[in-house]
Amino acid sequence: PYGGQQPPYGGQQPPYGGMSQPQSNGGGGFQPAPGYAPQGPIVTQPGMPPPAQPMGPPGQPMGPAGDWMSIPAGIPNCPRGLEYLTMVDQLLVKQKVELLEAFTGFETNNKFSIKNALGQKVYYAVEDNDCCTRNMCGPARPFDMKVFDNFRNEVIHMYRPLACSACCFPCCLQTMEVSSPPGSVVGSIEQEWSICAPSFRIKNHIGDTVLRIEGPVCTFTMCGDVEFKVVSLTGETVGKISKQWSGLAREIFTDADFFGITFPMDLDVRMKAVLLGATFLIDAMFFEKQANRETDRPGMF
């Protein structure tokens, strides 16, 4: 086509401005030229936005994969969502600081992050009630506590009705019902009448007492950690719910609390969920402030 002339450019030239071509390795495919770096796969089309970040519980991004505990698989006879509890004997419950509540005393819905001993997120809990109830009833307010997993599924539902907690009203003491999945009751917490130290009964879904919780006479947080012992029906200590000291500023100006829960590894996951509910009930009864004022008192008076 060039009339017998040599091809343009004066002979063969390395393509791409001097880069050498890949060389054959004798049937094993081609070897890339020196200095060549393979590129990763294209995961989005040109001009399209990157894939959306996976979401955790409502309003909370899931973050890196290591932030959330992976769900165990193949657990027989276990309510959906409670599989996480089969692998733990300790939970850490951290309440979120609400700036509006800290500066104004205006009560807002409590929110909690629930982690395992490795710091991985297991659940996320959100209190659900109305503004008038929160600010009129204070720590005694009734509420629904919704517990979500990392797929934003509600796996545990807790209901606390309006009731008294002082020993002056033995017929109207505190209770909390725990359901998992929501609508299927797995157990409950009932306050026992006492004058000095608080105590509770942990019951299963048919109303049988399985465990008891015994608290200290002094629940004032300025004394440091406050421990509520989880005991068997024979009086043996099998775990505890510990209100942990969270720092002077946090204790004085907020009601955002830290809790640690320990229980036997082989305890029924339903009872582990009920002990988690007992933590929220104890927090509301003894450590929730009203208008940023301490409501602690000696014993159950």
Side-chain angles (χ1 to χ4, degrees):
Y2 299 102
Q5 299 294 327
Q6 293 293 327
Y9 314 120
Q12 298 290 336
Q13 296 289 338
Y16 309 113
M19 292 181 60
S20 59
Q21 297 184 12
Q23 302 295 323
S24 173
N25 63 355
F30 286 96
Q31 296 292 337
Y36 173 77
Q39 297 180 353
I42 297 175
V43 295
T44 57
Q45 294 293 333
M48 297 296 291
Q53 182 182 14
M55 296 297 294
Q60 297 293 317
M62 185 180 298
D67 286 354
W68 284 88
M69 178 181 176
S70 58
I71 183 171
I75 307 297
N77 193 28
C78 180
R80 183 178 179 86
L82 297 190
E83 296 91 346
Y84 300 93
L85 298 181
T86 62
M87 305 298 294
V88 297
D89 60 358
Q90 180 179 3
L91 289 174
L92 305 176
V93 180
K94 180 180 178 181
Q95 184 175 351
K96 180 182 177 182
V97 176
E98 298 291 343
L99 296 179
L100 176 63
E101 184 174 336
F103 286 107
T104 66
F106 184 85
E107 288 291 338
T108 59
N109 279 326
N110 292 330
K111 302 178 180 64
F112 300 86
S113 176
I114 304 166
K115 301 181 180 182
N116 61 15
L118 300 177
Q120 297 173 319
K121 296 177 184 177
V122 182
Y123 297 120
Y124 186 82
V126 180
E127 179 186 353
D128 182 20
N129 58 17
D130 61 86
C131 175
C132 181
T133 300
R134 290 194 305 271
N135 290 276
M136 294 296 292
C137 299
R141 63 184 180 263
F143 60 77
D144 291 272
M145 187 70 72
K146 299 180 179 181
V147 181
F148 299 89
D149 64 6
N150 59 339
F151 297 104
R152 306 183 69 185
N153 299 318
E154 184 183 356
V155 296
I156 306 174
H157 188 97
M158 306 167 184
Y159 172 65
R160 178 203 187 191
L162 180 64
C164 299
S165 60
C167 63
C168 305
F169 303 95
C171 61
C172 188
L173 297 178
Q174 291 290 319
T175 61
M176 176 177 279
E177 184 181 77
V178 181
S179 302
S180 181
S184 178
V185 177
V186 296
S188 61
I189 307 103
E190 294 184 2
Q191 180 187 0
E192 297 178 326
W193 183 86
S194 62
I195 296 178
C196 296
S199 61
F200 302 86
R201 291 189 297 268
I202 302 298
K203 294 187 174 184
N204 59 16
H205 66 286
I206 59 175
D208 294 334
T209 301
V210 179
L211 297 168
R212 294 183 65 254
I213 297 177
E214 298 177 351
V217 175
C218 177
T219 58
F220 193 53
T221 54
M222 298 300 289
C223 299
D225 292 355
V226 182
E227 292 187 355
F228 291 74
K229 297 180 180 179
V230 180
V231 299
S232 65
L233 298 182
T234 59
E236 179 185 1
T237 301
V238 297
K240 66 180 179 179
I241 298 173
S242 175
K243 164 63 174 68
Q244 300 172 357
W245 173 257
S246 57
L248 184 62
R250 192 180 182 109
E251 293 286 350
I252 292 179
F253 298 109
T254 74
D255 58 1
D257 300 316
F258 291 131
F259 285 91
I261 316 170
T262 59
F263 36 68
M265 179 72 78
D266 58 352
L267 182 65
D268 186 353
V269 293
R270 298 167 181 83
M271 294 301 101
K272 292 182 181 181
V274 176
L275 287 177
L276 178 61
T279 304
F280 295 129
L281 180 60
I282 289 172
D283 177 45
M285 289 178 60
F286 300 102
F287 306 109
E288 182 76 7
K289 297 179 182 179
Q290 185 170 11
N292 284 339
R293 297 191 304 269
E294 288 286 356
T295 58
D296 196 30
R297 59 193 185 277
M300 296 306 300
F301 290 99

